């Protein structure tokens, strides 16, 4: 019996890690449904999920209307944000690039700020009048506006680092506009907007998931169809051009995918920090592989596992409420970002 070759050992290790991550995501998903201030027996949980009747009617409502949509949201948001971060880091060949570096999140925040705070100028408009859909539509519009600006710039500017810097400038400009609106806003509207900026996985309802999930899946499919292009761009745009890759078309495809992923998730959940920057590096650390055919599913599974775990930590059973999800992801992501900066010399070797 011959020993497996090095590529075979690497493939076996990749398969084992993918299976392990998939099982971890499944266990965390179930743990997320079990976790909460109301203790529900695990047998009743499975009865409810299989379509049966629980011992108490209120348990059915808690599971189907609250915990299950929240777990699905964490699963989808973690995978989407992480993959959007991987796309940006590959396109800009920068380990600190993330889904918000082009100002997409800032654009979404500006759209929400217009609805939540700007409409206070209308007589009789009160905080309770701001429903979910106006906020979501405004966030999409803000993200799309910033994306159009970036696309217009990319048609005239060839240097990808210049586009990166301009994206940061667009984000800063929209952030400044939001600050001005906060200054002139009423206390009630300002409070509503600040709650949205903290990020939340618990506010997404079943009908909203009916839009959020297909949009994020669409962004992931576009990213999956771009694997060869991403691998080529990782070697540099000049090399990619020499292989016949249309750089402008590649940027448009990747920006559309990123906008679908980060824009949609930000609209429904608010800005969730550090997942997009930190998780792709966690996946690289585990898999030791630069091939996007491996990195894309690895990053999606790792992001889903991290956000599901963060959501469980944010609402430990001993707590009456839940911590802002941004606080938990920051505590996980900041050490990774610090590690990235300290070991930057080694990381630049893969970009």
């Amino acid at each position: 019996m011959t020993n497996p070759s090095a590529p075979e050992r690497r493939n076996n290790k990749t398969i084992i890690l993918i299976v392990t991550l998939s099982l971890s995501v499944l266990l965390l998903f179930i743990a997320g449904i079990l976790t909460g201030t109301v203790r529900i027996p695990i047998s009743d949980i499975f009865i409810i999920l299989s379509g049966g009747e629980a011992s108490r009617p209120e348990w059915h409502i808690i599971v189907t209307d609250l915990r299950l949509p929240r777990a699905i949201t964490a699963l989808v948001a973690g995978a989407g944000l992480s993959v959007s971060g991987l796309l940006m880091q590959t396109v800009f060949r920068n380990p600190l690039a993330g889904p918000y570096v082009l100002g997409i999140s800032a654009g979404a925040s500006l759209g929400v700020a217009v609805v939540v705070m700007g409409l206070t100028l209308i007589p009789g408009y009160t905080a309770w009048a701001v429903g979910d859909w106006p906020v979501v539509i405004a966030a999409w519009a803000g993200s799309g506006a910033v994306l159009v600006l970036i696309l217009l710039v990319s048609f005239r500017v060839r240097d990808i680092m210049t586009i990166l810097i301009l994206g940061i400038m667009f984000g800063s400009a929209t952030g400044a506009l939001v600050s001005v609106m906060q200054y002139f806003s009423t206390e009630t509207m300002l409070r509503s907007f600040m709650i949205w900026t903290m990020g939340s996985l618990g506010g997404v309802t079943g009908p909203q998931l009916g839009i959020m999930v297909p949009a994020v899946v669409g962004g992931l499919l576009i990213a999956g169809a771009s694997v060869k292009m991403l691998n080529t761009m990782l070697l540099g745009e000049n090399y990619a051009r020499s292989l016949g890759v249309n750089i402008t078309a590649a940027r448009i495809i990747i920006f559309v995918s990123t906008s679908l992923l980060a824009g949609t998730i930000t609209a429904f959940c608010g800005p969730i920090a550090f997942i997009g920057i930190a998780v792709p590096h966690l996946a690289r650390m585990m898999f030791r592989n630069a091939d996007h055919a491996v990195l894309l599913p690895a990053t999606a599974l790792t992001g889903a596992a991290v956000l599901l775990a963060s959501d469980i930590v944010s609402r430990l059973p001993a707590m009456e409420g839940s911590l802002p999800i941004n606080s938990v992801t920051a505590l996980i992501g900041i050490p990774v970002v610090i590690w990235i900066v300290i070991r930057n010399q080694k990381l630049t070797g893969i970009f």
Side-chain angles (χ1 to χ4, degrees):
M1 181 177 180
T2 59
N3 292 326
S5 62
E8 288 175 339
R9 287 198 298 271
R10 187 166 60 246
N11 288 337
N12 292 337
K13 181 184 175 183
T14 299
I15 293 171
I16 292 172
L17 284 172
I18 289 289
V19 171
T20 304
L21 270 175
S22 300
L23 292 174
S24 300
V25 170
L26 178 62
L27 292 175
L28 286 167
F29 185 84
I30 295 172
I33 297 175
L34 291 173
T35 304
T37 54
V38 177
R39 294 184 182 278
I40 303 176
I42 189 170
S43 57
D44 283 274
I45 294 281
F46 284 108
I47 289 173
I48 295 169
L49 294 179
S50 61
E53 292 295 331
S55 304
R56 298 182 181 178
E58 61 267 26
W59 288 351
H60 193 280
I61 296 174
I62 291 173
V63 172
T64 57
D65 291 355
L66 300 176
R67 294 185 185 179
L68 184 60
R70 184 170 184 141
I72 294 173
T73 302
L75 179 75
V76 173
L81 286 176
S82 303
V83 169
S84 64
L86 176 66
L87 297 179
M88 291 295 95
Q89 290 172 9
T90 299
V91 170
F92 293 106
R93 302 179 67 209
N94 188 318
L96 294 179
Y100 304 109
V101 74
L102 291 177
I104 295 174
S105 177
S109 298
L110 178 61
V112 174
V114 169
V115 172
V116 176
M117 296 186 293
L119 295 182
T120 55
L121 299 176
I122 299 175
Y125 200 88
T126 55
W128 60 265
V130 181
D132 291 332
W133 283 110
V135 172
V136 171
I137 293 171
W140 276 344
S143 300
V146 173
L147 178 66
V148 169
L149 284 175
I150 296 296
L151 287 175
L152 292 176
V153 169
S154 69
F155 288 138
R156 297 182 60 87
V157 178
R158 289 183 175 272
D159 183 57
I160 199 68
M161 291 307 297
T162 303
I163 298 175
L164 176 66
I165 294 171
L166 289 173
I168 295 173
M169 294 298 103
F170 288 147
S172 299
T174 53
L177 289 174
V178 172
S179 298
V180 171
M181 296 183 69
Q182 286 178 318
Y183 180 80
F184 290 103
S185 177
T186 65
E187 182 179 350
T188 303
M189 292 298 181
L190 181 60
R191 184 173 180 273
S192 300
F193 180 73
M194 292 306 295
I195 290 174
W196 180 83
T197 60
M198 291 179 184
S200 174
L201 302 174
V204 182
T205 63
Q208 290 175 338
L209 280 175
I211 296 177
M212 178 181 172
V213 172
V216 173
V217 170
L220 292 175
L221 290 176
I222 294 174
S226 309
V227 164
K228 289 185 178 178
M229 186 172 60
L230 290 166
N231 284 339
T232 307
M233 293 184 73
L234 195 62
L235 301 174
E237 292 191 351
N238 290 332
Y239 183 78
R241 284 193 185 92
S242 69
L243 294 179
V245 175
N246 186 326
I247 296 300
T248 302
R251 289 177 184 173
I252 293 174
I253 293 171
I254 294 173
F255 285 175
V256 168
S257 175
T258 303
S259 179
L260 271 175
L261 295 171
T264 302
I265 294 165
T266 303
F268 284 100
C269 307
I272 299 176
F274 294 105
I275 294 293
I277 293 179
V279 169
H281 294 293
L282 293 175
R284 290 189 186 95
M285 289 167 57
M286 288 189 291
F287 284 82
R288 301 289 182 185
N289 197 324
D291 184 358
H292 283 77
V294 175
L295 273 182
L296 273 173
T299 301
L301 287 171
T302 306
V306 169
L307 200 53
L308 281 166
S310 300
D311 183 46
I312 293 171
V313 172
S314 74
R315 50 191 177 98
L316 290 176
M319 299 178 181
E320 291 297 328
S322 61
L323 296 171
I325 193 67
N326 258 336
S327 302
V328 181
T329 56
L331 291 174
I332 294 173
I334 287 175
V336 176
V337 173
I338 292 173
W339 179 84
I340 292 167
V341 172
I342 292 175
R343 300 193 52 156
N344 190 43
Q345 293 299 318
K346 291 185 178 180
L347 283 173
T348 50
I350 62 175
F351 288 97

